[in-house]
C-alpha cells in the first residue's frame, strides 16, 4: 500500500490530503484494539478537517483504551482514478488500512449534496451499499449530524443513525459493540442492542407505508422492542463534557485554519427557516472560566494565531464582552487574536468589533436574510434596518472598508418588493460609507451581497412550505443582478438547480434512496462542487425511478400529512412548529426564548433547562 | 539577533508543500514561545527566511532558515524548545547565531546536493553505469519543459557540478548529485532524472529524492551557509 502511494502521490493535486501524520494525530496499533472505528467525512480533507464534530469524536474515541479512531475522506477525482488503476481500496489516513477492515464506519451527515459521496466512498471501500447485502465481514455503517433528522433518503444504506449530540451515545455504541463481539451474536443482534440505546434509529426496523397520493401513511416498527419515535440525545452540562484541547493541526490550509472554541450550543432566537436552531435546542452555555482554560490549552498545543468563538450566534453569549476582552488581554502579546463568525446585526456592538480588531482585522459579515422588515418578521429574524446602519456606521468609522451581506431568496410570501429591499439594504451600506467617509476618490467601500435559494428543512416551521420552482429562482437572480449594478456592489448567487436537489433530499422519503443510487451510478459525486454537478443526470435518475421531483420540493403540505420524519423528534413539539408557521403567514414575530418562553416543548421533553450564565432557567 | 538553523524534512512530511511547511514552522514557534519578531501591518507574520523552497515529494536533511528574534537566546535552547513541539518529520538539526551583517540566505545559496534513487519501468534497454557516465559527459544536456503554456528549453549541463553513481543495475539507479541552486541558475534533480531517462530511452516508475545539503560558494569551496 505504502509503495503504491509513493508512486501515486506525486501525481495528484494536494497530496497532503492523503497524509495522516499531522501534529496531534493519534496512531494506535489497530491489531491490538477491541474496537476499530473509522470516521468518514464525505468530502475532501480540507473541508472535513474544519468540522468540529470530527475533532471532538476523533479525540474522544482515541482516549478510550482499546478503541482506535482513524479518519478517511472522499478522495478527489484524480486520486480516485489513480486508486482504481492501482487497485487500492479506500483507506484510513493513519494506518493506511482499508476502511472495510474497520468494525464501525461513521459518516457525518452535514449536507444533503454530500450523499452521493457517501455511496461513492462505500463503493471505493468495497463495502456493499445496502445494509441487507452486508455480511459478517463488513463493518457497521452509522451516521449522525443535522441530516440525521431526516435520514430516510439514506435509510437502505445505513445500519443505524444517531440523533443529536454524540459525545455520550458514541461511547455507549462502542461498549455495545465490545459486548456483541464477545457474544458472537448475528449482525441483527448488534442492531437490536443499539436500537435499545436512546437516540439510535435503526431504519431497517421500521416499515414505511404509503397512501395512494404518494404521501406517507405510516412509519411503524416491524418488531416489538423498538420505540415508535426516536428522540435525540443532548449533552446537558457542556462545562463537564469532553472537549479536545490537543486537536489535530492539519498541514494544509483548511477552511477554518484556526482554533475553534465552542462557546455554547443551541440558539434561542427561533428564526423560522433555521433547522439548526430547532435541533440544537435548548441553549447551553459554557462558563467563561472553562472557556479561558480550554483556550489556554489550545493555544499551547496548536500554535494557531486565531481563536474563533464558535456557536450558532456568538454575540448572544451572555458574557461575550468579558470573554473577548479577557482572551485578548491574555493572548495578544503572543500574537494570538480572537475572531467572531458572522454576527447578528442587533447584537453587534462596535466595542466588540474593536476589541477583536486589536490583534488582527477580520472581515465583517452580516446575515439580514430578507430585504424588508415584513419578510424578516415572517421568518422571525428580528433585525431592523437601523441595526444595519448603526453597525456599518460604527465599523466604517473604525476603518473597515468591506462588508459581506447574506440573504435568501425564495422565502415564503416573498414579493418583488422584498427583492427590491435587498438592493435597498446594499445601497444603504454604500451610502452610509459615503456619509461617514465623505465623498472619496479611490476604491470606496466594497459590499458583497450573496443570496442562496431557500431550502425548506425538516423539523422547522417551514417544513410544510413549497420551494420556489427553479425558473422562478433564476428569474429572481436575474432581477437582482439587474437592480444591483453598482461599482461598489458585488452580487453572488447559488445555483438554483443545486438548491432544488437539496430541497428534495431535505424532505425526501425512502423512495428517493433509489434515485440517489441511480444518480450515483450515472457518475454523480461531489455535487456541492459546481464543476461536478450534473443536473441532467439527477433528472434522468428521477425519471427512471418513476418519481416526480416537484412532489418533494415544490408541494405545499398540510398539518394532517404524516411527514417522512415524524417518527424522529428533536424534542420540539410538531404543533409548536405549525403554530410558528401560522404566525409567519400572519407576519407575527416570536420572542427570543431566553426572555419569553414560547412553549416549544423541549425543556419538558428532555427534562432540561436553558443554561445561561451558569444559571438554569426554563420550564 | 538572527539564528540560522539547519532543518530536517522527513518521511512523514514528504508530500507537504512549501507553504504548509512554512505554516507548520510558524505554529511551532508559537507553541515553543520563541521570541520571534513579527512584521508590521495588516496581517503580522513571523520574520523567518528560507534558503529555497523545497519541492513536494522531496525529503531533506539540509534545509536552512533564518529566524529574527526580539531578544537574545541560546541557540541550543532554541533548538531544544522547537524540537519538543515540532510535528513528526520536522526537526532542527543544528542552530547557530548569525554574526551581524551577513547577507540573506536566499542570496548566498549557490548549490544543492541530493541523493536520488530512480526505479525505471520495465521494458527498454538495460541501464548500466557506463551509459549513465556517458550521459553526464555530454557537452550539452537539453531539457524540454512546458511551463504555464510556454515551451522552454534549458541546458542542464552547466548546472551539474558533480555526480557520483552509487548503484546501477536491475532497473534501479542511485545517484549523488551536486547541482546549481539559487536565483542565477536553478537545476532541479527531477529534471536531471527526466532528461537521463529520456536519453536512456526508459520510463521512470518512481523516484526518491533526498536533499542532503545546501552550499554557498566561499573562496572556491562549497561551504555550509
Amino acid at each position: 500500500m505504502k509503495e503504491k502511494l509513493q508512486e501515486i502521490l506525486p501525481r495528484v493535486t494536494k497530496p497532503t490530503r492523503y497524509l495522516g501524520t499531522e501534529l496531534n494525530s493519534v496512531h494506535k496499533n489497530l491489531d491490538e484494539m477491541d474496537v476499530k472505528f473509522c470516521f468518514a467525512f464525505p468530502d475532501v480533507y480540507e473541508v472535513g478537517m474544519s468540522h468540529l464534530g470530527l475533532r471532538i469524536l476523533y479525540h474522544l474515541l482515541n482516549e478510550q483504551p482499546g478503541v482506535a479512531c482513524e479518519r478517511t475522506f472522499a478522495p478527489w477525482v484524480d486520486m480516485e482514478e489513480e486508486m482504481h488503476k492501482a487497485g487500492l481500496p479506500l483507506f484510513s489516513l493513519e494506518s493506511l488500512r482499508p476502511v472495510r477492515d474497520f468494525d464501525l464506519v461513521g459518516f457525518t451527515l452535514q449536507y444533503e449534496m454530500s450523499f452521493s459521496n457517501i455511496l461513492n466512498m462505500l463503493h471505493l471501500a468495497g463495502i456493499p451499499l445496502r445494509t441487507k447485502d452486508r455480511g459478517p465481514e463488513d463493518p457497521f455503517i452509522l451516521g449522525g449530524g443535522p441530516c440525521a433528522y431526516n435520514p430516510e433518503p439514506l435509510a437502505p444504506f445505513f445500519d443505524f443513525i444517531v440523533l443529536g449530540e454524540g459525545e455520550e451515545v458514541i461511547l455507549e455504541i462502542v461498549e455495545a459493540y465490545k459486548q456483541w463481539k464477545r457474544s458472537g451474536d448475528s449482525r441483527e443482534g448488534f442492531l437490536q442492542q443499539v436500537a435499545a440505546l436512546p437516540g439510535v434509529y435503526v431504519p431497517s426496523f421500521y416499515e414505511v407505508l404509503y397512501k395512494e397520493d404518494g404521501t406517507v401513511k405510516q412509519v411503524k416498527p416491524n418488531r416489538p422492542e423498538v420505540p415508535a419515535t426516536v428522540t435525540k440525545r443532548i449533552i446537558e452540562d457542556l462545562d463537564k463534557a469532553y472537549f479536545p484541547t490537543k486537536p489535530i493541526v492539519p498541514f494544509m490550509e483548511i477552511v477554518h485554519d484556526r482554533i475553534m472554541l465552542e462557546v455554547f450550543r443551541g440558539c434561542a432566537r427561533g428564526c423560522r427557516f433555521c433547522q439548526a436552531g430547532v435541533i440544537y435546542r435548548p441553549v447551553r452555555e459554557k462558563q467563561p472560566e472553562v472557556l479561558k482554560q480550554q483556550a489556554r490549552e489550545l493555544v499551547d498545543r496548536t500554535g494557531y494565531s486565531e481563536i474563533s468563538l464558535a456557536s450558532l450566534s456568538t454575540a448572544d453569549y451572555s458574557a461575550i464582552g468579558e470573554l473577548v476582552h479577557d482572551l485578548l488581554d491574555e493572548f495578544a502579546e503572543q500574537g494570538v487574536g480572537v475572531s467572531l463568525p458572522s454576527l447578528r446585526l442587533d447584537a453587534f456592538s462596535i466595542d466588540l468589533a474593536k476589541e477583536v480588531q486589536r490583534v488582527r482585522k477580520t472581515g465583517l459579515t452580516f446575515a439580514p436574510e430578507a430585504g424588508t422588515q415584513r419578510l424578516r418578521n415572517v421568518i422571525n429574524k428580528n433585525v431592523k434596518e437601523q441595526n444595519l446602519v448603526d453597525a456599518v456606521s460604527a465599523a466604517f468609522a473604525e476603518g473597515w472598508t468591506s462588508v459581506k451581506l447574506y440573504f435568501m431568496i425564495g422565502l415564503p410570501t416573498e414579493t418583488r418588493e422584498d427583492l427590491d429591499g435587498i438592493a435597498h439594504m446594499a445601497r444603504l451600506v454604500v451610502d452610509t460609507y459615503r456619509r461617514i467617509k465623505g465623498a472619496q476618490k479611490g476604491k470606496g467601500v466594497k459590499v458583497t451581497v450573496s443570496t442562496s435559494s431557500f431550502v425548506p428543512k425538516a423539523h422547522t416551521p417551514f417544513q410544510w412550505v413549497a420551494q420556489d420552482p427553479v425558473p422562478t429562482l433564476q428569474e429572481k437572480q436575474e432581477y437582482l443582478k439587474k437592480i444591483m449594478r453598482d461599482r461598489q456592489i458585488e452580487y453572488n448567487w447559488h445555483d438554483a438547480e443545486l438548491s432544488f436537489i437539496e430541497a428534495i433530499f431535505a424532505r425526501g422519503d425512502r423512495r428517493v434512496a433509489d434515485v440517489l443510487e441511480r444518480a450515483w451510478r450515472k457518475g454523480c459525486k461531489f455535487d456541492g462542487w459546481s464543476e461536478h454537478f450534473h443536473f441532467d443526470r439527477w433528472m434522468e435518475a428521477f425519471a427512471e425511478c418513476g418519481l416526480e421531483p416537484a412532489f418533494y420540493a415544490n408541494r405545499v403540505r398540510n398539518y394532517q400529512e404524516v411527514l417522512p420524519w415524524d417518527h424522529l423528534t428533536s424534542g420540539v413539539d410538531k404543533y409548536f412548529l405549525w403554530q410558528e408557521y401560522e404566525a409567519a403567514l400572519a407576519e407575527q414575530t416570536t420572542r427570543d426564548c431566553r426572555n419569553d418562553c414560547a412553549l416549544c416543548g423541549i425543556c419538558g421533553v428532555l427534562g432540561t433547562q436553558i443554561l445561561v450564565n451558569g444559571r438554569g432557567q426554563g420550564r | 539577533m538572527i539564528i540560522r538553523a539547519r532543518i530536517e524534512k522527513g518521511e512523514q512530511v514528504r508530500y507537504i508543500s512549501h507553504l504548509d511547511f512554512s505554516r507548520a514552522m510558524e505554529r511551532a514557534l508559537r507553541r515553543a514561545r520563541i521570541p520571534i519578531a513579527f512584521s508590521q501591518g495588516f496581517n503580522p507574520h513571523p520574520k523567518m527566511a528560507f534558503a529555497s523552497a523545497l519541492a513536494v515529494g522531496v525529503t531533506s536533511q539540509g534545509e536552512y532558515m533564518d529566524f529574527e528574534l526580539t531578544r537574545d537566546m541560546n541557540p541550543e535552547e532554541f533548538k531544544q524548545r522547537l524540537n519538543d513541539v515540532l510535528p513528526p518529520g520536522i526537526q532542527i538539526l543544528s542552530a547557530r547565531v548569525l554574526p551581524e551583517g551577513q547577507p540573506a540566505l536566499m542570496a548566498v545559496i549557490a548549490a544543492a546536493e541530493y541523493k536520488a534513487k530512480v526505479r525505471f519501468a520495465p521494458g527498454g534497454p538495460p541501464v548500466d553505469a557506463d551509459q549513465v557516465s556517458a550521459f553526464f559527459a555530454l557537452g550539452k544536456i537539453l531539457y524540454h519543459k512546458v511551463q504555464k503554456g510556454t515551451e522552454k528549453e534549458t541546458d542542464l549541463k552547466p548546472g551539474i557540478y558533480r555526480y557520483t553513481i552509487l548503484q546501477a543495475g536491475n532497473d534501479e539507479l542511485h545517484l549523488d548529485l551536486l547541482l546549481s541552486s539559487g536565483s542565477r541558475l536553478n537545476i532541479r534533480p527531477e529534471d536531471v532524472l527526466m532528461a537521463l531517462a529520456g536519453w536512456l530511452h526508459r520510463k521512470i516508475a518512481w523516484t526518491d529524492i533526498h536533499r542532503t545539503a545546501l552550499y554557498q560558494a566561499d573562496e572556491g569551496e562549497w561551504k555550509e551557509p
Side-chain angles (χ1 to χ4, degrees):
Chain A
M1 169 79 81
K2 226 173 169 176
E3 265 203 27
K4 285 192 179 157
L5 277 180
Q6 208 170 354
E7 279 180 55
I8 295 174
L9 288 180
R11 295 202 283 264
V12 298
T13 49
K14 303 194 186 173
T16 322
R17 284 167 170 159
Y18 312 106
L19 300 181
T21 52
E22 310 96 317
L23 182 75
N24 298 334
S25 59
V26 180
H27 297 250
K28 292 186 175 183
N29 185 343
L30 289 184
D31 298 317
E32 289 171 11
M33 296 292 121
D34 296 320
V35 185
K36 302 190 286 289
F37 192 104
C38 184
F39 194 109
F41 193 97
D43 207 320
V44 291
Y45 178 95
E46 58 265 38
V47 174
M49 281 310 294
S50 303
H51 177 49
L52 189 54
L54 184 163
R55 306 232 180 144
I56 296 176
L57 295 179
Y58 175 83
H59 290 287
L60 171 63
L61 285 171
N62 277 319
E63 291 208 2
Q64 312 305 313
V67 180
C69 178
E70 302 198 347
R71 298 158 296 152
T72 193
F73 299 88
W76 189 241
V77 292
D78 57 356
M79 179 64 172
E80 183 181 332
E81 206 184 299
E82 293 281 352
M83 285 167 68
H84 271 306
K85 283 200 283 203
L88 287 182
L90 188 66
F91 57 89
S92 68
L93 259 52
E94 283 83 351
S95 326
L96 304 180
R97 275 280 264 265
V99 170
R100 66 169 173 256
D101 285 353
F102 284 75
D103 302 314
L104 298 159
V105 179
F107 281 90
T108 179
L109 311 173
Q110 292 293 311
Y111 175 41
E112 290 81 356
M113 298 320 290
S114 69
F115 289 0
S116 58
N117 277 357
I118 295 175
L119 294 191
N120 202 43
M121 287 169 76
L122 286 172
H123 173 76
L124 273 174
I127 298 170
L129 292 185
R130 296 195 174 226
T131 67
K132 61 173 171 62
D133 298 322
R134 288 176 200 143
E137 295 305 305
D138 295 312
F140 288 101
I141 307 299
L142 60 140
C147 300
Y149 286 88
N150 180 28
E152 293 303 295
L154 294 172
F157 313 115
F158 277 78
D159 292 299
F160 61 101
I161 301 281
V162 178
L163 242 61
E165 294 159 22
E167 288 94 328
E168 284 167 8
V169 67
I170 196 111
L171 296 179
E172 293 163 17
I173 290 168
V174 160
E175 195 49 50
Y177 184 86
K178 279 193 214 169
Q179 287 178 15
W180 170 77
K181 212 158 79 164
R182 269 181 255 134
S183 74
D185 204 354
S186 68
R187 267 183 91 89
E188 191 162 309
F190 176 64
L191 294 181
Q192 309 238 181
Q193 288 300 310
V194 293
L197 297 172
V200 177
Y201 167 54
V202 180
S204 58
F205 288 175
Y206 295 78
E207 218 169 284
V208 183
L209 303 166
Y210 298 94
K211 289 190 177 153
E212 281 279 317
D213 62 3
T215 59
V216 172
K217 178 164 175 208
Q218 199 190 4
V219 178
K220 61 176 190 162
N222 58 28
R223 61 201 67 199
E225 324 79 53
V226 153
T229 18
V230 180
T231 310
K232 76 174 186 193
R233 294 288 291 264
I234 62 158
I235 304 299
E236 284 191 38
D237 188 348
L238 285 178
D239 286 331
K240 298 214 190 72
Y242 178 79
F243 192 75
T245 49
K246 214 179 151 192
I248 298 180
V249 180
F251 285 115
M252 71 182 294
E253 191 162 2
I254 62 177
V255 178
H256 290 300
D257 227 356
R258 52 190 83 96
I259 293 170
M260 301 282 279
L261 184 58
E262 188 178 23
V263 300
F264 70 91
R265 279 190 200 168
C267 178
R269 296 290 189 152
C271 301
R272 293 173 179 140
F273 56 84
C274 179
Q275 187 189 56
V278 173
I279 65 181
Y280 288 107
R281 288 188 180 209
V283 170
R284 288 149 291 144
E285 292 189 349
K286 278 155 96 168
Q287 304 261 42
E289 284 317 309
V290 170
L291 291 171
K292 286 184 223 169
Q293 181 54 33
Q294 289 177 346
R296 256 168 238 133
E297 289 174 49
L298 285 165
V299 168
D300 221 32
R301 308 290 181 64
T302 64
Y304 279 122
S305 62
E306 197 175 297
I307 303 172
S308 174
L309 301 180
S311 76
L312 290 173
S313 183
T314 302
D316 284 343
Y317 180 67
S318 53
I320 187 67
E322 170 202 325
L323 180 66
V324 171
H325 181 87
D326 290 351
L327 285 176
L328 284 170
D329 269 355
E330 193 169 334
F331 297 112
E333 209 179 42
Q334 292 172 247
V336 177
V338 173
S339 72
L340 304 171
S342 143
L343 296 176
R344 277 188 71 96
L345 281 165
D346 55 351
F348 178 81
S349 103
I350 191 56
D351 296 318
L352 195 58
K354 270 163 77 171
E355 281 276 15
V356 161
Q357 215 218 129
R358 266 163 65 181
V359 177
R360 197 167 278 115
K361 208 193 219 89
T362 52
L364 268 186
T365 310
F366 299 113
E369 305 294 10
T372 58
Q373 193 58 50
R374 184 202 72 83
L375 191 52
R376 285 195 293 274
N377 289 351
V378 167
I379 65 180
N380 206 40
K381 183 117 192 199
N382 299 317
V383 144
K384 313 243 174 326
E385 202 169 276
Q386 192 57 44
N387 295 139
L388 177 64
V389 174
D390 290 342
V392 299
S393 300
F396 295 150
E398 286 302 316
W400 265 279
T401 56
S402 74
V403 173
K404 195 164 186 185
L405 297 175
Y406 284 122
F407 291 93
M408 278 183 282
I409 58 172
L411 289 166
T413 76
E414 184 176 74
T415 65
R416 176 175 287 209
E417 254 177 32
D418 302 304
L419 297 178
D420 291 335
I422 294 178
H424 165 75
M425 289 183 93
R427 254 179 251 117
L428 202 54
V429 174
V430 174
D431 292 341
T432 306
Y433 187 83
R434 289 209 185 104
R435 193 167 37 87
I436 304 282
K437 298 297 227 184
Q440 273 194 337
K441 275 200 247 176
K443 275 187 14 188
V445 70
K446 173 155 176 262
V447 179
T448 310
V449 172
S450 178
T451 62
S452 62
S453 299
F454 172 57
V455 173
K457 297 273 171 166
H459 298 278
T460 64
F462 290 158
Q463 63 185 357
W464 293 277
V465 155
Q467 188 192 41
D468 269 359
V470 170
T472 309
L473 291 170
Q474 290 171 332
E475 262 171 49
K476 292 183 176 180
Q477 287 163 350
E478 285 305 310
Y479 180 68
L480 283 171
K481 252 201 280 187
K482 213 176 55 170
I483 64 176
M484 280 199 294
R485 241 167 232 158
D486 185 318
R487 245 171 27 121
Q488 317 289 151
I489 302 175
E490 184 185 311
Y491 172 46
N492 300 328
W493 62 93
H494 293 196
D495 185 344
E497 290 174 338
L498 186 64
S499 305
F500 177 50
I501 308 285
E502 185 187 333
I504 297 166
F505 281 93
R507 291 178 305 160
D509 55 34
R510 268 188 204 192
R511 296 171 298 187
V512 179
D514 291 333
V515 178
L516 176 63
E517 186 175 339
R518 189 65 73 100
W520 166 70
R521 286 194 192 279
K522 286 177 185 288
C524 288
K525 61 186 168 205
F526 285 111
D527 299 295
W529 298 71
S530 58
E531 68 266 35
H532 292 285
F533 177 56
H534 297 285
F535 185 63
D536 51 344
R537 294 184 200 170
W538 279 101
M539 290 297 105
E540 272 170 36
F542 272 100
E544 288 169 25
C545 291
L547 289 178
E548 184 51 62
F551 177 81
Y552 295 101
N554 311 119
R555 180 173 61 92
V556 175
R557 306 174 194 223
N558 62 42
Y559 189 64
Q560 268 57 50
E561 185 176 329
V562 174
L563 301 169
W565 54 89
D566 275 345
H567 56 295
L568 304 166
T569 175
S570 64
V572 169
D573 217 19
K574 187 178 178 186
Y575 185 58
F576 168 77
L577 294 177
W578 179 262
Q579 283 181 308
E580 279 295 294
Y581 178 39
E582 294 194 307
L585 297 176
E587 296 172 18
Q588 281 171 351
T589 59
T590 300
R591 294 214 322 152
D592 182 324
C593 79
R594 286 169 304 176
N595 301 318
D596 211 0
C597 171
L599 295 170
C600 75
I602 194 142
C603 293
V605 169
L606 297 176
T608 59
Q609 304 174 313
I610 315 176
L611 270 171
V612 163
N613 247 335
R615 292 175 281 112
Q617 61 188 81
R619 334 286 149 101
Chain B
M1 168 190 253
I2 297 193
I3 288 189
R4 179 165 289 180
R6 181 174 178 151
I7 304 171
E8 175 185 51
K9 183 190 175 199
E11 196 58 50
Q12 298 94 321
V13 289
R14 185 191 275 272
Y15 297 104
I16 72 177
S17 72
H18 175 73
L19 209 50
D20 294 338
F21 188 87
S22 173
R23 275 195 298 257
M25 193 56 74
E26 244 186 78
R27 292 189 291 257
L29 287 169
R30 247 182 237 110
R31 289 193 296 275
R33 309 281 183 105
I34 302 289
I36 188 96
F38 277 86
S39 66
Q40 311 281 44
F42 205 71
N43 207 352
H45 53 261
K47 285 175 141 184
M48 44 187 215
F50 283 88
S52 77
L54 190 58
V56 173
V58 178
T59 49
S60 174
Q61 67 196 83
E63 294 312 292
Y64 287 87
M65 284 179 72
D66 283 347
F67 299 88
E68 190 178 318
L69 305 184
T70 53
R71 59 172 173 77
D72 287 356
M73 192 177 178
N74 179 323
E76 269 314 298
E77 195 194 336
F78 175 88
K79 172 181 159 187
Q80 197 50 59
R81 284 198 356 210
L82 267 180
N83 281 342
D84 281 344
V85 300
L86 278 166
I90 306 180
Q91 282 283 283
I92 310 286
L93 297 172
S94 65
R96 65 184 177 100
V97 178
L98 199 67
E100 291 268 330
Q102 294 285 306
L105 257 179
M106 221 174 256
V108 300
I109 298 298
E113 186 158 22
Y114 299 91
K115 262 201 172 46
K117 294 187 195 163
V118 193
R119 163 105 57 83
F120 294 102
V127 173
D128 66 51
D130 287 334
Q131 287 188 296
V132 176
S133 302
F135 170 79
F136 283 109
L138 293 170
K140 267 192 181 181
I141 297 177
L142 294 174
Y143 184 62
H144 247 89
K145 196 146 82 166
V146 182
Q147 206 165 1
K148 298 195 198 210
T150 45
E151 273 214 24
K152 219 178 134 185
E153 200 177 69
T154 340
D155 182 8
L156 303 177
K157 183 69 195 280
I160 304 177
Y161 296 148
R162 194 172 64 219
Y163 77 95
T164 314
I165 302 175
L166 302 168
Q167 186 188 310
N170 275 343
D171 286 347
E172 221 172 279
L173 182 62
H174 295 189
L175 291 173
D176 207 278
L177 293 168
L178 182 66
L179 305 176
S180 174
S181 177
S183 43
R184 274 199 309 136
L185 179 64
N186 196 55
I187 304 294
R188 302 189 328 152
E190 308 90 282
D191 294 346
V192 174
L193 295 177
M194 289 287 280
L196 173 60
W199 194 78
L200 293 172
H201 299 293
R202 294 297 298 269
K203 275 212 157 93
I204 296 181
W206 64 246
T207 61
D208 182 331
I209 299 174
H210 177 74
R211 179 138 84 187
T212 46
L214 284 176
Y215 296 112
Q216 62 175 331
D218 190 356
E219 286 157 17
E221 279 187 23
W222 295 120
K223 288 230 181 95
E224 249 202 67

